[in-house]
Amino acid sequence: MASSNFGRRDFLKAAAAMSATAAIPGLFPGVANAARTNELNILVWEGYNSDNVLDPFRREFDTKVSAENVISDPDAVNKLRAGETKVWDLINLNNPWARELLYPEGLIKPLDQERFKPYFDKMMDEFKWPYKWAMSLDGKDLLGMTQRFGPLSFVVNTDVISRPMAEDQGFNLFMDPKMKGRYGILTWANWNIYHMCITAGFSPFKKHTKEEMQKFKEVATYIFKNAKMASDDHLAMNQALITGEIDAYFTGGTYSCSVARYDGFSNVRGITPKEGPINGKGGIVWVEVTSIVNNPNLSTKAEDFLEYVQRPDVSKNVAFAEGSHNPVTQMGIPEVMNAFTKKELDAIQFDSLEWELEHCADYDVNPDYAEMLELYTAARREAKG
């Protein structure tokens, strides 16, 4: 789910670097030469590799499944660009990458629409066929299956900062002098850069002016300088919120705070701003799309696994995988929806999900990501002293 976003130039730079360092042979010995009818290699975000998701598939399909966590979307894309199309059978990334880069570059294959279209017809209304981010740019080919999704903006302790106040202020909350030393930064660079653009008053999903780049620099410097703590561990950030060390953290949402909420801390809540600069929206929603890699020796179980995770019982396991709890597009199926307890629905903030989706823009590409990352990194370094 929640990860990095590079512009096209970033990928070109990174791909050049990766081509010189690729050393994949040996990662999965025998993959290139053996007939692959009982093994499957998947590159996925945390959660899809949980035992409660994979073990039943292993048993039912008598298949060895090897899984590796995605660290960031661009990192995963670069793995395929560097030759790991010979390694992986499935790749699970956030919504823009399949249609914007992976398919145009021949790194993934289209799916059998006759086999998979019926699953979209059962999904939540927002994801029904033909769902934009699952289709090719010309709308003709199906490129992947959707599953987990969720809004991601920032998180507050509602015992200290009320939900209405946080929604009204949006990211300006972190620019309020009264918040100095009272918030943390979850250091997911891609998301922070998106959100710092919104804080600065413009959309991250466009080409930016010199004045906007300067404003971005000022916002990044201010937010890092006045933060009490910074960490890439969302569980640690939740703990700081629960103990009162901080009252909010910059970048967060259902994905980052749902486990704390499930543990009983319902005052830890992801916030979607009421309004913002992305066509009036101030929040961003991510949607995972799982695609079949253009592997020259593709496992015969790849499409079976894609279909397997669409099952109602497995969809629920994916939603409540270890480490993060999230809504899934399959909640449009009564059997899936009815499987969630009241406590589980509260953990994923289902009470406000529809409202939050209405106030979120879709995750997309930032064409100035590379330049902003340099400014972001410099601001973080300066804050450390």
Side-chain angles (χ1 to χ4, degrees):
M1 138 300 142
S3 176
S4 301
N5 185 6
F6 277 18
R8 293 175 186 273
R9 277 177 295 172
D10 307 66
F11 279 106
L12 293 174
K13 292 176 183 177
M18 290 293 290
S19 65
T21 58
I24 306 309
L27 182 59
F28 293 100
V31 161
N33 300 319
R36 303 185 59 239
T37 59
N38 62 350
E39 64 178 33
L40 180 71
N41 299 327
I42 61 176
L43 184 59
V44 290
W45 279 108
E46 175 190 38
Y48 290 90
N49 58 347
S50 298
D51 289 342
N52 65 339
V53 175
L54 296 185
D55 283 350
F57 181 86
R58 290 174 173 132
R59 291 192 294 268
E60 178 178 339
F61 290 86
D62 188 24
T63 296
K64 176 185 177 183
V65 182
S66 299
E68 181 174 303
N69 273 2
V70 169
I71 298 173
S72 72
D73 290 323
D75 175 77
V77 172
N78 282 327
K79 285 179 182 291
L80 300 191
R81 283 177 156 175
E84 293 194 30
T85 49
K86 297 177 182 177
V87 175
W88 305 108
D89 299 298
L90 294 172
I91 184 167
N92 165 250
L93 299 179
N94 287 311
N95 48 291
W97 309 109
R99 65 184 266 133
E100 299 286 343
L101 288 165
L102 295 178
Y103 190 56
E105 295 186 18
L107 300 172
I108 59 174
K109 300 173 64 174
L111 303 183
D112 179 349
Q113 294 190 26
E114 185 175 348
R115 181 173 182 178
F116 289 101
K117 178 179 179 294
Y119 291 101
F120 284 90
D121 294 336
K122 298 177 183 177
M123 292 181 184
M124 297 174 69
D125 289 343
E126 294 85 349
F127 306 96
K128 287 192 182 299
W129 181 273
Y131 179 59
K132 169 186 172 182
W133 294 110
M135 306 298 293
S136 58
L137 289 168
D138 62 7
K140 295 181 179 178
D141 295 320
L142 174 61
L143 306 182
M145 299 300 291
T146 62
Q147 201 136 33
R148 301 190 304 186
F149 70 97
L152 198 84
S153 293
F154 61 91
V155 176
V156 304
N157 177 351
T158 56
D159 288 344
V160 182
I161 302 171
S162 71
R163 175 186 163 192
M165 176 185 174
E167 290 175 347
D168 286 341
Q169 290 205 25
F171 286 100
N172 288 329
L173 178 74
F174 296 91
M175 302 300 284
D176 185 337
K178 295 178 182 177
M179 286 296 291
K180 289 183 177 179
R182 292 174 53 194
Y183 65 87
I185 300 179
L186 182 57
T187 53
W188 293 349
N190 59 303
W191 282 102
N192 284 339
I193 288 173
Y194 282 0
H195 294 150
M196 286 173 181
C197 287
I198 295 173
T199 308
F202 48 79
S203 169
F205 309 133
K206 68 180 190 69
K207 190 67 182 172
H208 300 92
T209 66
K210 289 184 179 178
E211 290 74 19
E212 288 172 336
M213 296 297 285
Q214 177 60 31
K215 182 64 176 176
F216 173 85
K217 178 181 178 181
E218 293 171 3
V219 167
T221 300
Y222 181 92
I223 289 179
F224 270 115
K225 180 180 178 181
N226 294 294
K228 184 169 186 178
M229 61 181 294
S231 171
D232 64 357
D233 184 346
H234 63 283
L235 301 179
M237 202 60 67
N238 290 332
Q239 185 65 24
L241 207 60
I242 292 166
T243 60
E245 187 176 358
I246 57 175
D247 296 329
Y249 61 85
F250 192 92
T251 286
T254 310
Y255 189 94
S256 69
C257 73
S258 51
V259 172
R261 291 179 59 81
Y262 187 74
D263 287 342
F265 299 98
S266 58
N267 56 325
V268 175
R269 188 173 187 97
I271 298 294
T272 294
K274 187 174 291 183
E275 57 186 23
I278 313 174
N279 296 322
K281 298 178 178 180
I284 299 174
V285 58
W286 54 272
V287 183
E288 290 176 340
V289 177
T290 306
S291 302
I292 290 185
V293 175
N294 191 13
N295 187 326
N297 190 20
L298 186 70
S299 167
T300 59
K301 301 296 174 58
E303 289 199 343
D304 290 337
F305 186 83
L306 265 187
E307 201 164 41
Y308 161 80
V309 294
Q310 294 292 316
R311 295 179 183 176
D313 58 330
V314 183
S315 294
K316 173 64 192 311
N317 287 341
V318 170
F320 264 71
E322 183 180 359
S324 179
H325 310 323
N326 301 277
V328 288
T329 59
Q330 291 75 24
M331 292 176 79
I333 304 171
E335 185 178 354
V336 177
M337 186 64 203
N338 293 336
F340 285 81
T341 66
K342 183 178 179 180
K343 179 180 178 181
E344 289 169 339
L345 291 175
D346 181 66
I348 61 174
Q349 299 185 192
F350 195 76
D351 61 323
S352 61
L353 182 59
E354 184 176 354
W355 184 91
E356 293 192 70
L357 293 181
E358 290 175 357
H359 291 75
C360 281
D362 289 344
Y363 183 98
D364 207 338
V365 172
N366 177 357
D368 295 312
Y369 185 84
E371 291 85 347
M372 287 185 174
L373 181 60
E374 291 179 4
L375 298 174
Y376 172 90
T377 303
R380 184 178 180 184
R381 188 184 306 119
E382 181 181 333
K384 288 181 178 178

